[in-house]
Amino acid sequence: MALIRLVPSNVNINFVGIRFITFIISSLVILATLFTISTKGLNYGIDFQGGYIFEVRLKETPNVPELREKLESLNLGETAIQKFGGDTDVLIRVERKTVEGMSENEAQQTVIDRVKATIGQDQDYRRIETIGPKVGEELVHNSMKAVLFALAAMLIYIAVRFEWQFAVCGIVALMHDTVAILALFSILPFEFNETAIIAILITAGYSINDTIVIFDRIRENLRKYKKMELGELINKSLNETLSRTVLTATTTLTSLLALYFFGGSVISSFSLPILIGIMVGSFSSIFLASPLLLYLNLKRGTEVGAPANSN
């Protein structure tokens, strides 16, 4: 066990003492994100902008990277290919673009003709659909609702299990994590699609789990050390759970790094936001959620609920 100990047992880091520095870092991240989103916006993918879907059963097992390269050479816009169902079934999505001097129907037929000419006219085209902008808007709306409902559910859960002060700090940390993920998609040229929503929800789930473990230890120590100064007690709780936090984050990041480097382009683009999100979530659990409790008049002693095991 000692061989895998990443944090010394007697560690005593003054997390609370550097809270103003970490608060400033978080504030800068949020401000930078709001600025880039308001000026550049997000690079919405096919699912949100609309496009064309081809469900094709090929005569032979496809070489997906080669097929993707052929379709991208057509310069129709963003193209996504994924396998599904049988070995010869592929789902192709092509970005919907407005072409000057061409009607919507003509643009659609042009895309269909060029895709078929590339893949082969004799293939089995089982479904060809057009996703209009209204469908994309609905998808954006529903995705935002999913994220907000998830945050609201976590807020209620923490408020019931702990005290409202813990719930507020946990949700502030989650909102920080969500904004940080959006920064990734706003600043860098990554496509914001349905996998981005999944990455946000995975990050939120990981972050709140990490935060609750720390909150549980703080609540337990509130019962044990009724006269200890709150900042010192939060520091003690953070240091006691630091080994668990580092180990969990390290093992998770190791798996994600393997997916990023060896999973291919599609898996890499999916795993990168989660990888960044895990680091941001660990940061907010330690440096944001817990120190914020200092400012919310936390109840002490017997007024706090019964302690529970944190590990």
Side-chain angles (χ1 to χ4, degrees):
M1 188 67 183
L3 294 176
I4 60 172
R5 181 176 289 280
L6 299 179
V7 179
S9 57
N10 60 346
V11 64
N12 184 23
I13 301 174
N14 185 9
F15 295 104
V16 173
I18 59 173
R19 65 185 182 279
F20 294 115
I21 298 175
T22 56
F23 287 174
I24 289 173
I25 293 173
S26 296
S27 300
L28 289 176
V29 169
I30 292 172
L31 290 174
T33 304
L34 294 178
F35 176 76
T36 54
I37 289 179
S38 61
T39 54
K40 290 177 54 182
L42 295 171
N43 178 27
Y44 287 113
I46 296 169
D47 301 307
F48 294 111
Q49 284 188 326
Y52 308 102
I53 293 180
F54 298 79
E55 183 181 326
V56 191
R57 174 161 292 172
L58 302 170
K59 293 182 176 179
E60 298 177 352
T61 302
N63 183 329
V64 173
E66 183 180 315
L67 186 57
R68 182 182 295 114
E69 188 175 337
K70 286 182 179 178
L71 291 174
E72 287 178 348
S73 67
L74 298 176
N75 294 319
L76 296 173
E78 187 180 336
T79 305
I81 305 175
Q82 66 182 89
K83 280 188 172 182
F84 78 104
D87 292 339
T88 58
D89 293 339
V90 293
L91 190 68
I92 301 170
R93 290 177 293 178
V94 180
E95 181 183 357
R96 178 178 172 274
K97 296 178 73 174
T98 302
V99 181
E100 190 175 348
M102 192 178 289
S103 68
E104 175 62 33
N105 288 336
E106 290 173 335
Q108 178 183 355
Q109 192 58 50
T110 299
V111 171
I112 292 173
D113 290 343
R114 296 187 69 182
V115 169
K116 283 187 173 181
T118 303
I119 298 176
Q121 296 285 353
D122 56 344
Q123 305 292 347
D124 182 7
Y125 292 88
R126 306 169 71 87
R127 178 167 63 106
I128 300 177
E129 289 183 358
T130 301
I131 302 175
K134 284 188 177 179
V135 176
E137 288 176 10
E138 285 183 10
L139 192 56
V140 172
H141 183 67
N142 291 336
S143 299
M144 293 301 108
K145 279 171 58 178
V147 173
L148 291 176
F149 282 151
L151 293 177
M154 292 178 193
L155 175 67
I156 295 171
Y157 169 74
I158 301 172
V160 170
R161 185 177 174 189
F162 295 89
E163 300 287 333
W164 67 266
Q165 294 94 334
F166 289 93
V168 170
C169 294
I171 292 303
V172 168
L174 282 182
M175 292 177 69
H176 166 271
D177 300 341
T178 303
V179 170
I181 297 296
L182 289 177
L184 183 71
F185 288 97
S186 178
I187 296 172
L188 300 177
F190 291 145
E191 177 188 317
F192 189 81
N193 51 26
E194 80 276 18
T195 59
I197 300 298
I198 295 172
I200 290 174
L201 292 176
I202 289 176
T203 299
Y206 177 89
S207 177
I208 198 63
N209 177 65
D210 207 24
T211 302
I212 283 178
V213 169
I214 297 172
F215 280 175
D216 226 1
R217 183 57 59 92
I218 292 175
R219 186 176 62 171
E220 185 178 337
N221 285 337
L222 283 169
R223 295 275 297 180
K224 285 182 179 177
Y225 309 102
K226 297 178 182 177
K227 294 184 180 180
M228 182 181 287
E229 192 268 329
L230 185 57
E232 183 182 354
L233 186 142
I234 291 174
N235 258 337
K236 179 178 178 61
S237 304
L238 287 169
N239 281 291
E240 287 176 351
T241 54
L242 186 61
S243 177
R244 182 264 178 204
T245 301
V246 172
L247 276 174
T248 304
T250 302
T251 51
T252 308
L253 289 174
T254 301
S255 302
L256 289 169
L257 283 171
L259 289 175
Y260 178 74
F261 286 112
F262 306 113
S265 59
V266 176
I267 298 296
S268 294
S269 62
F270 173 66
S271 57
L272 181 61
I274 302 175
L275 197 151
I276 302 295
I278 297 300
M279 291 190 283
V280 173
S282 299
F283 172 86
S284 67
S285 298
I286 295 173
F287 295 105
L288 192 60
S290 301
L292 281 176
L293 289 170
L294 288 169
Y295 305 99
L296 293 180
N297 191 27
L298 194 62
K299 294 179 181 179
R300 307 294 302 269
T302 55
E303 293 177 330
V304 179
N309 293 329
S310 59
N311 292 312

